[in-house]
């Protein structure tokens, strides 16, 4: 890692932790929600050994909050304030700026996963997957797709005023239409397409398939490949505008 990227990453983390009302809800609240959820529904779930599948669900939720809300909104805000332009005219390239987002996104997402995993193991004595290494590799791939989705779609907006309705709608859509917070089995058939087109639903299905070792359905993989191609298309479409 070169010195410019190292300094930029250090500054990036300082800015993130300097805002406690931004950092703490992202890193702490999902852990609290997980603890409360397990306490409330332990009877219905059937015991601590059955808490395991909720670990990847909450890990993906933290990843969504970090990569979509925190980094996505920061990208638009910094672009609006001209910070990217000032950095690009210096010795920092736009690729180094993006790479700092990637570094922070991967580290914070993995920290969130470790947080949920530690609560599950040490508080509830939860049984975890026997394929942890493969799960972590899959989770990192999901992190990469989520970050690509976040940056490519947020890049369509010029300022925070424009992007705010998009983030609010996506937040509610992901919570209610992905299976991360509420089950999707009972949704009416005429609304099922809203679940099928939600990329986070397919991410959740893939992570659960690896965690439970029940296999990954090809339709989930193919849909995420389509999402990646669409995101790359958006980046290519916007690349000629030079809107940093």
């Amino acid at each position: 890692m070169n010195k410019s990227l190292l300094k930029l990453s250090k500054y990036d983390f300082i800015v993130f932790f300097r805002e406690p009302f931004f950092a703490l809800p992202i890193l702490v609240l999902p852990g609290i929600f997980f603890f409360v959820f397990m306490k409330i529904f332990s009877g219905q779930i059937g015991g601590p050994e059955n808490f395991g599948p909720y670990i990847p669900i909450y890990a993906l939720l933290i990843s969504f909050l970090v990569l979509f809300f925190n980094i996505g909104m920061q990208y638009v805000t910094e672009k609006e304030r001209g910070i990217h332009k000032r950095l690009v005219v210096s010795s920092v390239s736009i690729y180094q700026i993006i790479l700092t987002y990637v570094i922070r996104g991967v580290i914070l997402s993995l920290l969130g996963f470790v947080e949920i995993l530690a609560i599950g193991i040490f508080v509830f004595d939860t049984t975890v997957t026997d394929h942890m290494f493969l799960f972590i590799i899959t989770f990192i791939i999901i992190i990469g797709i989520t970050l690509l989705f976040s940056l490519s779609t947020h890049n369509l907006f010029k300022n925070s005023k424009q992007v705010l309705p998009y983030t609010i709608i996506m937040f509610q859509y992901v919570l209610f239409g992905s299976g991360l917070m509420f089950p999707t089995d009972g949704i009416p058939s005429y609304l099922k397409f809203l679940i099928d087109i939600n990329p986070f639903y397919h991410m959740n299905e893939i992570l659960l398939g690896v965690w439970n070792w029940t296999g990954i359905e090809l339709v989930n993989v193919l849909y995420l490949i389509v999402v990646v191609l669409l995101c790359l298309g958006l980046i290519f479409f916007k690349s000629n505008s030079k809107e940093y």
Side-chain angles (χ1 to χ4, degrees):
M1 185 182 294
N2 60 47
K3 291 183 179 179
S4 297
L5 182 59
L6 189 62
K7 289 182 179 179
L8 200 59
S9 296
K10 181 180 177 182
Y11 169 77
D12 190 54
F13 273 100
I14 290 174
V15 171
F16 175 77
F17 286 105
R18 187 179 290 170
E19 298 291 341
F21 291 107
F22 213 26
L24 291 180
I26 289 175
L27 293 177
V28 177
L29 281 185
I32 296 175
F33 288 155
F34 179 72
F35 176 82
V36 173
F37 182 87
M38 293 299 110
K39 283 290 186 183
I40 293 176
F41 295 101
S42 58
Q44 291 90 329
I45 294 173
E49 66 274 11
N50 296 324
F51 289 178
Y54 293 93
I55 293 176
I57 293 175
Y58 272 80
L60 180 58
L61 179 62
I62 293 177
S63 179
F64 168 72
L65 292 174
V66 170
L67 303 173
F68 190 83
F69 266 97
N70 179 247
I71 292 181
M73 286 293 292
Q74 180 187 352
Y75 179 79
V76 177
T77 303
E78 290 184 346
K79 185 172 70 171
E80 179 184 10
R81 294 176 178 174
I83 294 176
H84 293 166
K85 285 183 178 179
R86 291 197 291 273
L87 289 173
V88 168
V89 296
S90 66
S91 59
V92 178
S93 70
I94 187 65
Y95 300 106
Q96 289 176 314
I97 297 172
I98 299 297
L99 194 53
T100 59
Y101 293 150
V102 174
I103 292 171
R104 175 154 55 93
V106 171
I107 291 177
L108 293 181
S109 296
L110 290 177
L111 278 177
F113 169 65
V114 171
E115 173 191 1
I116 300 299
L117 187 65
I119 294 174
I121 293 175
F122 297 112
V123 179
F124 297 106
D125 195 23
T126 303
T127 303
V128 301
T129 179
D130 295 328
H131 309 278
M132 185 61 74
F133 179 75
L134 185 60
F135 175 81
I136 292 176
I137 297 297
T138 307
F139 186 49
I140 291 175
I141 294 173
I142 293 297
I143 291 171
I145 297 174
T146 305
L147 188 59
L148 180 65
F149 178 81
S150 174
L151 292 179
S152 62
T153 55
H154 279 91
N155 194 35
L156 298 174
F157 302 93
K158 294 182 178 179
N159 55 60
S160 53
K161 186 177 181 180
Q162 290 179 353
V163 78
L164 191 57
Y166 168 68
T167 56
I168 293 174
I169 292 172
M170 278 299 298
F171 177 71
Q172 298 189 25
Y173 177 43
V174 169
L175 287 189
F176 289 95
S178 66
L180 292 184
M181 291 297 293
F182 303 98
T184 58
D185 298 337
I187 191 168
S189 56
Y190 60 90
L191 293 177
K192 188 68 169 55
F193 74 97
L194 292 174
I195 307 299
D196 295 334
I197 62 173
N198 191 330
F200 291 92
Y201 167 77
H202 298 278
M203 294 178 190
N204 190 32
E205 290 294 305
I206 289 175
L207 289 176
L208 287 174
V210 176
W211 181 274
N212 296 322
W213 207 241
T214 54
I216 299 174
E217 292 190 18
L218 184 60
V219 63
N220 296 320
V221 177
L222 292 177
Y223 186 78
L224 290 186
I225 291 175
V226 171
V227 169
V228 169
L229 293 176
L230 288 175
C231 292
L232 292 176
L234 287 177
I235 293 174
F236 178 78
F237 174 74
K238 293 289 292 184
S239 61
N240 295 327
S241 64
K242 301 292 184 183
E243 294 179 355
Y244 300 137

